[in-house]
Amino acid sequence: MNPKKLKQLKKRVKKAHQIVNEPSYIQELNTYRDLFDDFPPVKYLINNVLESDRLLKNGLLPHPLPKLLLPDNIQDTIFKKVNKQFPQGDPRGDKLWNKYSEALPKLDKALRNYRDYLEETYGMWSYVNAPFAKALSDYLGGAPTLEIMAGNGYISKGLRNNNATQKIYTTDSQAWIKENETGKHPVTKIEKLDALEAIKKYGDEVEYVIMSWAPDKGEIDWDVLQLLRSTYPEVKLLVIGEKDGATNSKKFWQEAQLSQDDELQKVNANLHSFDLIDEQIYLAK
């Protein structure tokens, strides 16, 4: 077999393998998309999730997502449509209504679990969408920047996409590789350094440090802030997380002086939280 045909065959095999191994979560959403094809508000939510996953699967930053919540009146809408399609008492209508009713709570749960899917599949914790990365890049204005606890590097990738000449140091301790997908699927070059080591190495070379979704166990985020305060007071710390919620330590939220000026609010407006987690970006001192 000549090399060209062999290459084509490998591509077909790889594509078939990808289809077979499509995550069950995505298979489930595709099934619901077919089932609710006649209900545009539902299909709109599902399509947004599927497109987000497609972009990430291809190494691209996703688009912002709407709130992944089913419309409050969706049961009434479905009931009216079924009644219009079948006369009252028709067993076909009862069967279809039961099928929709059984699927709705499962679909609702699946949509609410999209963040869990992102964490488990891509090691993506903060939902770094493309417009947010552009707004953050504009805010930084090309200033040299250090990202700590970068995970798979989505923020740094977004910044590099928008400004190829900006000096960005991307670091992560890779301590979570054995526990989840964080660090297993890097989307940009990442240097293996823990947060404090990274700051000590690059603190004199950068104007900003970015810390996203620091764990709520331990107080490494507080240690980071103390180190910056004592040794690198001119370096600005940008924190992405949910205040008093899913990210960071209680000590950090209690002690950090947080602010969001007008320019940072423009960046924050692009985070577009799609679930109950209210992640935001803050300047911390």
Side-chain angles (χ1 to χ4, degrees):
M1 184 179 294
N2 66 54
K4 185 176 181 180
K5 287 187 176 180
L6 180 60
K7 187 176 181 180
Q8 290 174 341
L9 178 60
K10 285 182 177 179
K11 282 185 178 180
R12 287 199 295 270
V13 171
K14 183 179 180 181
K15 184 176 181 181
H17 181 73
Q18 288 173 340
I19 293 172
V20 169
N21 290 305
E22 186 176 73
S24 59
Y25 177 83
I26 299 301
Q27 291 177 351
E28 181 183 5
L29 286 181
N30 276 311
T31 299
Y32 291 139
R33 182 175 62 176
D34 293 339
L35 176 61
F36 292 97
D37 187 59
D38 290 334
F39 302 95
V42 178
K43 193 173 180 181
Y44 169 75
L45 296 177
I46 297 172
N47 281 340
N48 265 274
V49 172
L50 293 175
E51 177 62 9
S52 171
D53 177 68
R54 185 191 70 80
L55 291 168
L56 286 166
K57 193 176 294 181
N58 285 280
L60 302 172
L61 291 184
H63 58 281
L65 288 169
K67 288 286 185 182
L68 298 179
L69 298 173
L70 292 173
D72 291 337
N73 65 341
I74 188 60
Q75 283 186 307
D76 290 339
T77 301
I78 293 173
F79 186 77
K80 289 176 182 177
K81 187 170 182 63
V82 171
N83 276 348
K84 188 175 181 180
Q85 185 176 354
F86 297 99
Q88 192 170 3
D90 189 319
R92 293 175 298 171
D94 293 340
K95 183 178 180 181
L96 183 58
W97 166 250
N98 290 335
K99 189 174 184 180
Y100 285 135
S101 297
E102 183 181 345
L104 273 176
K106 296 177 182 178
L107 171 58
D108 180 64
K109 182 179 179 181
L111 291 172
R112 292 174 185 270
N113 285 345
Y114 186 51
R115 191 181 292 271
D116 292 337
Y117 170 78
L118 292 175
E119 295 169 1
E120 294 167 2
T121 306
Y122 300 108
M124 179 184 239
W125 299 78
S126 175
Y127 188 70
V128 184
N129 64 73
F132 168 73
K134 174 64 167 62
L136 181 58
S137 178
D138 291 345
Y139 176 85
L140 295 172
T145 298
L146 165 65
E147 184 183 4
I148 58 175
M149 307 182 201
N152 288 323
Y154 287 102
I155 292 175
S156 289
K157 174 181 173 58
L159 294 177
R160 291 188 173 110
N161 286 350
N162 285 284
N163 188 343
T165 63
Q166 182 180 7
K167 193 64 179 178
I168 302 168
Y169 302 99
T170 310
T171 65
D172 189 90
S173 68
Q174 299 180 357
W176 296 88
I177 284 182
K178 293 182 180 180
E179 297 188 34
N180 53 53
E181 297 303 304
T182 303
K184 291 182 182 178
H185 312 284
V187 293
T188 191
K189 185 177 180 181
I190 299 171
E191 185 176 0
K192 186 177 180 181
L193 289 172
D194 70 32
L196 300 181
E197 290 174 334
I199 292 171
K200 290 174 183 176
K201 181 173 181 178
Y202 295 113
D204 289 325
E205 301 180 36
V206 299
E207 294 181 30
Y208 288 91
V209 170
I210 297 176
M211 178 172 66
S212 173
W213 275 65
D216 58 356
K217 297 177 181 179
E219 295 183 349
I220 184 62
D221 51 356
W222 172 237
D223 295 336
V224 163
L225 184 56
Q226 285 184 301
L227 176 59
L228 290 173
R229 283 175 173 177
S230 64
T231 311
Y232 308 95
E234 301 303 315
V235 175
K236 301 177 182 69
L237 175 62
L238 291 174
V239 178
I240 301 171
E242 183 184 38
K243 188 176 185 301
D244 300 319
T247 74
N248 298 79
S249 65
K250 290 182 179 179
K251 180 75 171 178
F252 179 84
W253 292 128
Q254 289 170 353
E255 300 293 337
Q257 300 169 25
L258 304 175
S259 63
Q260 295 172 316
D261 62 15
D262 290 344
E263 292 304 309
L264 197 58
Q265 284 285 17
K266 293 177 183 178
V267 182
N268 189 56
N270 286 281
L271 271 175
H272 293 290
S273 183
F274 59 84
D275 55 14
L276 298 178
I277 292 180
D278 183 26
E279 62 174 318
Q280 296 188 38
I281 184 166
Y282 302 92
L283 183 65
K285 295 182 179 180

